[in-house]
Amino acid sequence: MKMSALEYTVSLLEKIPEENLKEVQNFIQYIIFRDAGNRSMDLLSEDELVSQLTQSMERSDAGATTPAKVVSQQMREKYAV
């Protein structure tokens, strides 16, 4: 009996040690979200990008920042990295 692509993929996943499954999940997420059609945000024009970066630098200069450790923790939680 020939397996479907889904059945074959599941059979492979069942053989992966538990400690390696997070790597597989991260790679699958990368594949899904790398395509332009799956972007959750619009691309900015050069003027829009410069404007947003300028505003960001102004906020940073004013002290409205988040510590890197907090940002890293939030990214790990949000993206399972």
Side-chain angles (χ1 to χ4, degrees):
M1 184 173 124
K2 187 174 180 178
M3 282 194 255
S4 70
L6 176 60
E7 291 169 328
Y8 179 68
T9 302
V10 169
S11 73
L12 290 175
L13 290 171
E14 290 173 340
K15 296 174 185 171
I16 296 174
E18 186 71 30
E19 60 270 11
N20 298 106
L21 285 177
K22 186 56 91 178
E23 289 179 67
V24 173
Q25 290 170 344
N26 289 339
F27 185 69
I28 291 169
Q29 287 178 346
Y30 165 75
I31 291 171
I32 291 170
F33 296 113
R34 73 179 173 190
D35 299 326
N38 291 324
R39 285 195 183 125
S40 61
M41 59 185 139
D42 295 328
L43 294 177
L44 301 176
S45 70
E46 183 176 347
D47 289 339
E48 292 169 323
L49 179 60
V50 169
S51 174
Q52 286 192 13
L53 290 172
T54 301
Q55 290 173 16
S56 179
M57 290 187 312
E58 289 170 354
R59 286 192 303 269
S60 177
D61 290 344
T65 61
T66 304
K69 286 183 179 182
V70 173
V71 172
S72 294
Q73 180 62 34
Q74 290 170 343
M75 296 296 280
R76 282 192 293 276
E77 290 171 0
K78 185 174 182 177
Y79 297 106
V81 189

